[in-house]
Amino acid sequence: MRLHGSTTALLVMLALSACGNDATRPGLRVTRSYVLESIDGQTLPTNFEAASPSLTALSGTLSLDSTGSSTATTHVHQTPSNFDPSDFDTVLRGEYRFRGDSIEIGFFGTCRDLCVPNRLGVVSDSTLVLEYLIFMGSGPHSFLYRLVSSQP
């Protein structure tokens, strides 16, 4: 049996698309919201930088949207206050990619300036743990997020 070029290409595409499941494809897109539960095993609020000024994480969220974008926000208190106000938010925007039960959050293009290392993590049914190599000048830190909402 002889196959034409377009038929062969179609068969190859079908065979490749049958390999693996959606959870192992880097293109998996979801809409999920998480709330920050602990840093380095310590429930919030927790101090994650003891040097002066001391930094305490009060709350945080992590959002993944269906376009592949992510936003991590952490509400921080600084003592003594070098800024006014002493409470402020850190916001890290980026992209995300799943590979099985692993996730990478950050930037996947060419770095043009000072770039924060991508955060690597593990996802379960109800939690997401991200390793921050650097957060607010210190690190590494392990952030545990609890799932609060999800859409396929």
Side-chain angles (χ1 to χ4, degrees), residues 61-151:
T61 59
L62 173 67
S63 300
L64 308 177
D65 72 23
S66 62
T67 68
S69 296
S70 67
T71 303
T73 303
T74 307
H75 189 66
V76 177
H77 177 77
Q78 180 176 290
T79 309
S81 177
N82 291 340
F83 305 102
D84 187 26
S86 59
D87 288 7
F88 58 92
D89 290 332
T90 65
V91 179
L92 294 174
R93 290 182 173 81
E95 304 168 33
Y96 66 88
R97 293 185 181 168
F98 284 103
R99 295 202 190 276
D101 65 352
S102 297
I103 189 169
E104 183 174 358
I105 297 178
F107 295 97
F108 299 95
T110 303
C111 180
R112 295 187 191 116
D113 200 353
L114 297 174
C115 296
V116 175
N118 285 358
R119 283 116 28 231
L120 303 176
V122 178
V123 180
S124 72
D125 290 339
S126 62
T127 62
L128 187 152
V129 177
L130 276 181
E131 299 299 324
Y132 285 72
L133 294 178
I134 300 171
F135 183 77
M136 298 288 300
S138 68
H141 295 289
S142 179
F143 282 49
L144 171 65
Y145 294 92
R146 177 92 33 214
L147 181 67
V148 292
S149 71
S150 178
Q151 297 175 6

